[in-house]
Amino acid sequence: MKKILLFLFTLSTITSYSQTDEEVLREIYTQSLTNGKSYEWLDYLSNQIGGRLSGSLQAEFAVQWGKEELEKLGLDKVWLQEVMVPKWVRGAKEYAYIESSIKKTTTSVDICALGGSVATNPLGLKAKIIEVQNFEELEKLGEAAIKGKIVFFNRPMQEDLISTFNAYGGCVNQRYNGAVEAEKYGAVGVIVRSMNMRLDDFPHTGSMTYDDLPLEKRIPAAAISTNGAELLSTALKLDENLEFYFKQSCSQFKDVLSYNVIGEITGSEFPKEYFVVGGHLDSWDLGDGSHDDGAGVVQSMDVLRLLKASGIKPKRSIRVVLFMNEENGLRGGNKYAEEAKRKGENHVFALESDAGGFTPRGFSFDCSDANFDQVLSWKPLFKPYLIHYFEKGGSGADVGPLKNDSNVLAGLRPDSQRYFDHHHAANDTFDAVNKRELELGAATMTSLVYLFDKYGTNPLPKQSEIKN
């Protein structure tokens, strides 16, 4: 019986490499759309475990779940990689209101503490509030106008940019660095407009920093929903002396032990050449992290399952890495790269999915011109699946530390128009993910891994790249 099974497996492997690339990709997409596991996995990760903030009990459950599921796939190796991560706890639900100086009435608004923020005092913080668009405006106002007040950063995401990630990049510094900049001029707190492309009542959290500020100088920082930001901005125009009140109870604890979850199919020809495909297992705590980044986690897991289901025996060792702590520290990505360097492992390719589970459009690549030309030659293979976006650019935060002069890093690029409606907010939940879109993404990732494994990552360089 064992001989028969070995023969059938060998036959399926031979068949996969005797097929054309078009036929192999068709098989991969068929397997994902008719027999995919990504949606089932995400259902459990999101609805049974939930939000997975680094250092939380839910993050610990997710690690054990990931290890158990990878072991069920019959991979050659599955293991946990230790990594110390920060532990920040949100505490009781935040509360805020606007108080009119004219009528002395109050209007509640939706806020949430930014990740890493200190708490207000137990009674909360109430002060006059001043609105700014950027750090330059903050500097012009100076200490005389800001001291003792709450600074309200209200620069929205730029709506006319087609790439919502560019719009996000254009305003996220007010969230990350806002507290540090405002404290320079004596501010007592910071309120930041949520990084969101639409108007709604969901405040969006995210990481922030105090740099090297001593604890006594750290001021509380919170995000306000876009509807709340619009209301507050309008109210300030009518009543510049109004006051803003908010209360939050977050706490920062000592680092705790957590893990990256890693599974591997060992390469049949070049086992010491490593491919990585991954997403981050941690998430923020307001929703269940389905788009950010549960989708990337389950798609990456399904890449290895789809390779096996399609009868493909990789030449190189393919690893799935479920990274811990991308959201507020990048400890998992840095730890994985550190260990790879220590062991002298040759990572020739890495692919990350961390842009949501929406319809895949293509990839961005951090690679040489020669490798990128090879990618462009594969565009006709992806055309039947409406995958058209192949650009040089960034890859992903967790695979970024693996970058060297010769390897290829890539990031899956789904349609981004709805991503920031959910990003870091309470509506990043399982019901916002479409099963078919998620499965198309898993198949698209698997197809790219298959092609790079088959053809390698070292095509002949362009003449312009050859140094005299």
Side-chain angles (χ1 to χ4, degrees), residues 197-436:
M197 294 296 291
R198 69 180 184 182
L199 293 175
D200 62 26
D201 295 316
F202 294 103
H204 293 228
T205 191
S207 61
M208 53 84 65
T209 185
Y210 289 111
D211 288 342
D212 297 322
L213 279 176
L215 186 60
E216 64 272 14
K217 288 196 170 187
R218 296 182 181 187
I219 59 177
I224 187 171
S225 72
T226 48
N227 273 339
E230 292 290 296
L231 176 63
L232 178 56
S233 182
T234 300
L236 277 167
K237 289 178 176 64
L238 298 173
D239 179 7
E240 64 180 13
N241 291 313
L242 65 77
E243 292 187 303
F244 191 86
Y245 170 88
F246 72 111
K247 181 181 178 182
Q248 56 192 41
S249 307
C250 35
S251 301
Q252 186 74 51
F253 297 92
K254 292 181 179 179
D255 290 356
V256 298
L257 178 64
S258 191
Y259 304 89
N260 292 327
V261 186
I262 307 171
E264 177 183 304
I265 297 174
T266 304
S268 59
E269 294 184 33
F270 310 107
K272 299 300 183 182
E273 292 186 6
Y274 296 98
F275 278 33
V276 164
V277 57
H280 63 86
L281 194 54
D282 65 303
S283 76
W284 286 107
D285 55 325
L286 297 178
D288 59 44
S290 286
H291 276 298
D292 186 20
D293 185 29
V297 164
V298 298
Q299 286 173 330
S300 299
M301 293 167 64
D302 222 13
V303 167
L304 273 66
R305 192 195 66 82
L306 287 168
L307 289 172
K308 291 171 70 69
S310 301
I312 298 167
K313 181 67 175 174
K315 298 178 182 181
R316 295 158 181 84
S317 295
I318 314 291
R319 286 179 180 171
V320 56
V321 183
L322 314 183
F323 296 98
M324 183 55 68
N325 185 234
E326 186 273 347
E327 291 293 3
N328 59 338
L330 203 66
R331 303 280 186 89
N334 286 325
K335 181 66 173 183
Y336 182 84
E338 175 189 314
E339 286 299 298
K341 182 177 181 180
R342 184 182 67 81
K343 295 176 181 177
E345 294 177 340
N346 181 22
H347 282 73
V348 297
F349 175 83
L351 168 62
E352 185 165 350
S353 172
D354 185 17
F358 300 102
T359 302
R361 297 299 187 202
F363 304 93
S364 61
F365 295 90
D366 185 357
C367 64
S368 68
D369 288 343
N371 272 307
F372 188 62
D373 284 345
Q374 177 174 242
V375 168
L376 293 179
S377 74
W378 297 333
K379 284 189 75 171
L381 295 171
F382 288 94
K383 184 178 179 181
Y385 311 102
L386 304 179
I387 306 300
H388 64 277
Y389 180 87
F390 294 83
E391 299 287 343
K392 292 191 73 173
S395 52
D398 282 307
V399 301
L402 291 169
K403 180 62 182 170
N404 60 38
D405 292 335
S406 60
N407 61 10
V408 175
L409 304 186
L412 179 69
R413 293 294 172 253
D415 187 295
S416 72
Q417 302 310 313
R418 291 171 288 152
Y419 181 61
F420 290 98
D421 295 349
H422 304 273
H423 186 246
H424 297 176
N427 63 341
D428 183 6
T429 49
F430 180 71
D431 63 304
V433 177
N434 178 275
K435 179 177 183 289
R436 188 171 178 85

Side-chain angles (χ1 to χ4, degrees), residues 438-454:
L438 186 72
E439 292 169 345
L440 284 169
T444 300
M445 294 169 67
T446 308
S447 299
L448 186 69
V449 169
Y450 159 76
L451 290 167
F452 264 116
D453 180 58
K454 180 177 179 179

